[in-house]
């Protein structure tokens, strides 16, 4: 179409040049000009209309593309714990991340037995046989997706009741995602490490979400860390994606927050009670700014401790969070820590 328009315009310009060079202006030449103008106008009009129609059709097509939890070509991890993501399509390639059970991803392309995916901040390859795809993925997403409230303010107050007259349970950092229990209009009931709290609707954004992949960099730590601290962090992070079970003590079959730290430290000859509140009284309390990989962060309301996590460096902790999210990695200040305890002397 564009070529045809250019040809007509060129023809018209040539005609105009010839007409400007002649002194004879007959009715016939006027008629010819009128005909050329009519053809040009019709062609330009048709071309413009076709162009607009094409753009509208493209926009309509894009608008009609169905997305599931933000994905257009959805894949969901069909595994018991987590699916390894590699930098290339083969078992010999290095790991670049993990896709937890029921986590979602965008399938970018398929190469034989491997699929290139993108999830969260991770892009890499997974074995296609371990992904739900097509209708199976859509059905699975409907079963496992959750409503997430993302804090859009610097400090979000999570309260014990849906009003500003009650006490503040804890504070949440900007950008943190909370599992929604109920949208109550002006307030949203959320799950924070197994505790029910309320946040103001105006300070959060709600969306349907699936768990996302985690990068290997999320478990990296700073330099100058002792071998035992390096080892304990590596050991703890291998269980990311495993189940949370209230009262559980199995790192593979289900564990709660204090059961997780108890079992991790048990491997290194340090025996802790199965209680976050009791664990906070072990070891030496330090300032959060002094935290090193392996130290424990404790959270709760006021001075009452109800949750524990292990610091892994880089401003992050690994912890058994809740039945919905399992063992995961979070920002160490995703909520305000009450205290930090050191159990390792080196």
């Amino acid at each position: 179409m564009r070529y045809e328009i250019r040809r007509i315009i060129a023809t018209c310009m040539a005609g105009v040049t010839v007409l400007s060079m002649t002194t004879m202006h007959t009715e016939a030449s006027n008629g010819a000009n009128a005909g050329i103008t009519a053809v040009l106008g019709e062609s330009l009009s048709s071309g413009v209309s076709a162009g607009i129609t094409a753009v509208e059709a493209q926009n309509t097509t894009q608008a009609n593309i169905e997305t599931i939890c933000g994905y257009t070509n959805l894949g969901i991890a069909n595994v018991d714990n987590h699916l390894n993501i590699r930098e290339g399509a083969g078992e010999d390639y290095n790991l670049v991340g993990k896709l937890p059970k029921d986590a979602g991803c965008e399938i970018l392309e398929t190469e034989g037995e491997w699929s290139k995916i993108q999830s969260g901040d991770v892009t890499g390859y997974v074995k296609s046989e371990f992904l739900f795809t097509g209708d199976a993925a859509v059905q699975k997403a409907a079963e496992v997706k959750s409503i997430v409230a993302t804090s859009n303010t610097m400090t979000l107050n999570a309260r014990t009741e849906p009003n500003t007259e009650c006490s503040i349970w804890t504070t949440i950092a900007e950008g943190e995602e909370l599992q929604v229990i109920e949208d109550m209009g002006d307030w949203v009931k959320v799950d924070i490490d197994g505790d029910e709290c309320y946040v103001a609707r105006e300070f959060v954004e709600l969306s349907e979400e699936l768990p996302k992949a985690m990068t290997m960099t999320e478990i990296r730590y700073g330099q100058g860390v002792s071998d035992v601290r390096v080892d304990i962090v590596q050991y703890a992070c291998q269980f990311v994606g495993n189940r949370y079970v209230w009262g559980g003590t199995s790192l593979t079959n289900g564990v709660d927050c204090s059961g997780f730290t108890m079992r991790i430290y048990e491997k290194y000859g340090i025996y802790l009670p199965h209680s976050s509140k009791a664990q906070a009284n072990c070891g030496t309390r330090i300032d959060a700014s002094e935290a090193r990989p392996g130290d424990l962060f404790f959270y709760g309301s006021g001075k009452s401790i109800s949750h524990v996590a292990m610091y892994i460096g880089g401003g992050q902790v690994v912890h058994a969070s809740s039945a919905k999210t399992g063992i995961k990695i979070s920002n160490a200040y995703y909520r305000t820590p009450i205290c930090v305890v050191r159990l390792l002397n080196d």
Side-chain angles (χ1 to χ4, degrees):
M1 176 61 74
R2 292 179 179 174
Y3 173 80
E4 183 64 21
I5 292 172
R6 293 195 195 101
R7 186 182 65 78
I8 293 171
I9 291 174
T11 301
C12 293
M13 293 303 293
V16 171
T17 302
V18 170
L19 289 171
S20 66
M21 293 174 64
T22 182
T23 58
M24 298 179 66
H25 298 285
T26 64
E27 292 181 359
S29 66
N30 289 337
N33 282 337
I36 291 171
T37 302
V39 172
L40 176 59
E42 182 178 352
S43 298
L44 287 174
S45 177
S46 299
V48 172
S49 297
I52 293 173
T53 301
V55 171
E56 289 177 343
Q58 183 178 3
N59 290 339
T60 301
T61 299
Q62 291 175 343
N64 288 335
I65 293 177
E66 183 180 8
T67 61
I68 307 295
C69 298
Y71 301 102
T72 56
N73 189 14
L74 175 66
I76 296 181
N78 181 16
V79 291
D80 291 331
N81 291 317
H82 62 264
L83 177 59
N84 289 330
I85 306 173
R86 298 184 180 275
E87 62 183 1
E91 298 282 0
D92 295 334
Y93 287 95
N94 292 329
L95 293 178
V96 293
K98 291 183 177 183
L99 195 66
K101 176 183 179 181
D102 297 335
C105 67
E106 185 75 24
I107 301 176
L108 303 176
E109 59 183 70
T110 299
E111 299 181 16
E113 298 179 345
W114 294 81
S115 291
K116 185 177 182 180
I117 67 163
Q118 192 279 323
S119 178
D121 295 325
V122 184
T123 299
Y125 293 81
V126 299
K127 275 290 193 70
S128 301
E129 64 181 295
F130 298 115
L131 288 177
F132 287 112
T133 60
D135 291 340
V138 173
Q139 182 177 347
K140 189 65 176 178
E143 297 173 4
V144 301
K145 67 183 179 183
S146 59
I147 306 298
V148 170
T150 303
S151 170
N152 60 16
T153 186
M154 185 172 295
T155 302
L156 175 65
N157 292 328
R159 297 181 177 273
T160 56
E161 298 292 339
N163 60 67
T164 56
E165 308 300 323
C166 66
S167 60
I168 297 173
W169 174 259
T170 190
T171 55
I172 306 298
E174 184 174 10
E176 287 299 318
E177 297 180 348
L178 307 172
Q179 296 295 319
V180 173
I181 299 174
E182 181 183 358
D183 183 353
M184 305 170 65
D186 292 338
W187 293 86
V188 180
K189 182 190 290 188
V190 296
D191 181 317
I192 302 178
D193 299 326
D195 292 314
E196 294 184 359
C197 301
Y198 301 85
V199 295
R201 178 67 177 83
E202 64 180 307
F203 297 124
V204 296
E205 296 178 4
L206 302 186
S207 59
E208 289 184 340
E209 299 281 347
L210 291 169
K212 299 181 180 67
M214 292 167 294
T215 66
M216 298 307 289
T217 58
E218 287 180 307
I219 62 173
R220 289 178 182 170
Y221 30 79
Q223 298 179 346
V225 179
S226 67
D227 288 343
V228 67
R229 288 183 181 274
V230 168
D231 194 63
I232 198 170
V233 166
Q234 290 180 331
Y235 179 65
C237 287
Q238 72 176 292
F239 301 107
V240 167
N242 286 3
R243 297 172 58 208
Y244 172 99
V245 173
W246 172 255
T249 59
S250 171
L251 293 171
T252 54
N253 296 323
V255 66
D256 61 13
C257 67
S258 59
F260 176 67
T261 50
M262 178 183 73
R263 288 302 186 211
I264 296 300
Y265 266 98
E266 183 178 76
K267 176 178 170 63
Y268 297 86
I270 298 175
Y271 300 94
L272 301 174
H274 191 187
S275 161
S276 58
K277 185 178 296 186
Q279 287 182 9
N281 292 321
C282 301
T284 303
R285 293 202 177 191
I286 61 173
D287 189 90
S289 63
E290 301 172 356
R292 297 162 65 192
D295 293 338
L296 299 182
F297 274 59
F298 293 87
Y299 308 89
S301 178
K303 295 183 179 181
S304 178
I305 293 170
S306 59
H307 191 70
V308 59
M310 177 181 290
Y311 188 64
I312 61 174
Q316 296 180 313
V317 292
V318 60
H319 58 139
S321 176
S322 68
K324 187 68 178 179
T325 59
I327 299 173
K328 61 182 286 190
I329 291 173
S330 299
N331 185 312
Y333 301 93
Y334 74 102
R335 57 190 290 198
T336 307
I338 293 176
C339 67
V340 179
V341 167
R342 174 163 295 165
L343 298 168
L344 298 172
N345 294 323
D346 53 354

